[in-house]
Amino acid sequence: MKEITLHQPAKLVFGNGCSSQLPEFLSVFKKVAFVVAGPLVSLARDYYSICKPMGIEMEIFEYEHGEPTFALYEQFFKTVKDFGPDCVVGCGGGSVLDLAKILAAMIGNPQSIGDVTGINLLKQRSVKLVCMPTTSGTGSEVSPNAILLDEVSLEKRGIISPFLVPDASFVDPELTVKLPPKITAETGIDALSHCMEAFTNKFSHPLIDHYAIKGVELIAEHIVAAYQDGTNVKARGALSMGSLLGGICLGPVNTAAVHALSYPLGGKYHIPHGLANAVLLAEVYQYNMSADMAKHARLALALGAKQGKDVKETALHGLDQLRNICRACGIPESLGALGIVENDIPEMAALAMKVTRLLKNNPRPLNYEDAVQIYKNLM
């Protein structure tokens, strides 16, 4: 069996209310930088009021933007570096967690951000890192990945390194209860895409398959309930677990064509990452089926589809089930609904072709003409 390596947080806590353990974990630090999503700044202030009597100096850095760019990173890095923390806490969705991870890795690091952009180029991290997700999407709290948008080239660039895996992650489903239905759907389908692409990946592995297929089952069964009623604690817990499992898949196996094709939608049109993946997911599933019909049939059953008379029919039932899930969650069924025009397709396809680190994982080879056709099918 081929070798595989998993890098995970030294401390991973999952469960309702577990975020209350954060102050105790931080008690050994003197200065903490708390990077938080704008809507959750009141939560950060609650932690501040608890930590201050413990002798912890905490600075709150509020992030109110979309997906982080290189320029935004530089802006935050200067202020966080000047504060000089010995621990960085990220609390928010995937964008906030990715930013916190990069900030922690670059404080006291002689490397520049350009030096570390790519796979295994980041060589150290001296500042401790804690992540607390407030969405059920990226799985960034357990992954070695972080993404920044290059505003000039419109490309999303990945920083992938074991040094981006947090020292501790507290995954508390209760932090996701107030998430709006739209974001619940988009981030949930994003997590689903992580699991699906890991499972069908050309470099899939039996160890990761177990995480991936369980993640698909949890998300497919519960996402509509969470979308319809955000206070459904059981559904929120299932999505948080599914997202975490998808995050575990990202390091050793990663994603493929769905993400490669979605990056230009975010870079050029600033469409949220989860939404871009959600719109593309079924179309890429259909494109990839012929590469491994048996795996897609197994995936179909995990999605909740009925068994067909053979693997092809079962896989097709899975395609229908996937479309039904997306439709029930209010996901648009076309790129046109997102404001994308057909004239931009050649440029988007060209940008997608640059994401070779993900395209090489796709179970079926995908070239420029294929990318153009997938985009056109969704117009």
Side-chain angles (χ1 to χ4, degrees):
M1 186 176 289
K2 62 185 178 182
E3 180 181 303
I4 193 167
T5 301
L6 279 70
H7 297 283
Q8 297 177 8
K11 184 180 183 71
L12 175 59
V13 187
F14 182 96
N16 291 328
C18 73
S19 57
S20 64
Q21 299 177 29
L22 178 66
E24 180 183 357
F25 183 84
L26 297 179
S27 64
V28 298
F29 302 108
K30 294 180 179 179
K31 299 181 77 174
V32 173
F34 201 103
V35 184
V36 63
L40 296 160
V41 70
S42 61
L43 178 65
R45 290 180 183 135
D46 289 341
Y47 286 117
Y48 176 88
S49 64
I50 296 171
C51 289
K52 188 175 180 181
M54 300 167 67
I56 301 171
E57 184 181 350
M58 180 182 288
E59 189 79 24
I60 297 171
F61 298 88
E62 188 175 354
Y63 186 80
E64 298 182 289
H65 312 275
E67 294 176 42
T69 63
F70 279 89
L72 283 170
Y73 156 76
E74 294 290 354
Q75 174 186 324
F76 272 80
F77 180 63
K78 183 181 185 309
T79 54
V80 174
K81 180 183 69 171
D82 289 347
F83 174 59
D86 49 2
C87 180
V88 174
V89 176
C91 180
S95 294
V96 173
L97 299 188
D98 281 7
L99 178 61
K101 289 163 71 170
I102 299 171
L103 291 171
M106 297 308 293
I107 294 170
N109 192 334
Q111 296 177 282
S112 70
I113 191 68
D115 293 336
V116 304
T117 302
I119 301 174
N120 291 327
L121 299 178
L122 174 65
K123 300 302 182 184
Q124 67 174 66
R125 173 166 57 80
S126 58
V127 172
K128 294 294 184 180
L129 173 65
V130 180
C131 284
M132 292 200 308
T134 59
T135 65
S136 301
T138 67
S140 187
E141 68 274 8
V142 292
S143 85
N145 302 356
I147 305 295
L148 290 176
L149 171 65
D150 186 327
E151 311 94 308
V152 177
S153 67
L154 302 180
E155 296 174 70
K156 289 189 178 183
R157 301 190 183 277
I159 302 171
I160 296 94
S161 168
F163 294 106
L164 288 182
V165 177
D167 296 289
S169 291
F170 298 89
V171 185
D172 184 348
E174 289 183 358
L175 295 182
T176 70
V177 166
K178 294 184 179 179
L179 205 62
K182 183 176 185 295
I183 301 178
T184 296
E186 293 172 6
T187 56
I189 299 295
D190 184 24
L192 181 64
S193 73
H194 296 159
C195 297
M196 290 175 61
E197 291 208 281
F199 185 70
T200 58
N201 200 296
K202 188 166 71 175
F203 301 103
S204 64
H205 191 281
L207 177 61
I208 297 304
D209 284 352
H210 289 289
Y211 292 110
I213 209 71
K214 185 60 179 178
V216 171
E217 291 172 352
L218 286 168
I219 297 167
E221 182 179 354
H222 296 282
I223 189 168
V224 176
Y227 172 74
Q228 293 174 341
D229 177 11
T231 64
N232 185 324
V233 177
K234 179 181 178 181
R236 288 295 189 188
L239 288 193
S240 291
M241 179 62 76
S243 176
L244 187 156
L245 294 173
I248 291 174
C249 296
L250 289 179
V253 175
N254 217 338
T255 56
V258 172
H259 280 67
L261 291 167
S262 78
Y263 279 6
L265 276 65
K268 184 174 178 61
Y269 285 93
H270 303 293
I271 293 166
H273 175 68
L275 175 58
N277 285 334
V279 175
L280 287 160
L281 187 55
E283 191 67 30
V284 176
Y285 175 106
Q286 185 172 26
Y287 175 85
N288 283 337
M289 278 195 313
S290 62
D292 193 333
M293 204 65 76
K295 262 210 160 181
H296 279 79
R298 186 177 172 198
L299 191 59
L301 297 176
L303 285 165
K306 63 181 180 180
Q307 181 93 44
K309 65 178 183 295
D310 53 27
V311 291
K312 182 176 181 179
E313 185 174 271
T314 303
L316 286 169
H317 287 329
L319 178 61
D320 291 337
Q321 177 71 357
L322 182 57
R323 286 177 171 154
N324 288 337
I325 291 170
C326 289
R327 195 173 295 121
C329 289
I331 301 298
E333 297 185 44
S334 74
L335 295 176
L338 303 179
I340 294 174
V341 296
E342 194 161 346
N343 287 344
D344 283 338
I345 286 179
E347 181 185 4
M348 292 194 308
L351 287 169
M353 288 300 100
K354 294 182 179 181
V355 194
T356 54
R357 69 180 180 88
L358 300 183
L359 287 174
K360 67 178 176 60
N361 302 332
N362 205 56
R364 180 181 171 188
L366 189 147
N367 60 29
Y368 172 83
E369 289 75 19
D370 298 324
V372 167
Q373 191 58 55
I374 288 172
Y375 287 139
K376 283 187 174 180
N377 290 347
L378 286 166
M379 292 303 297

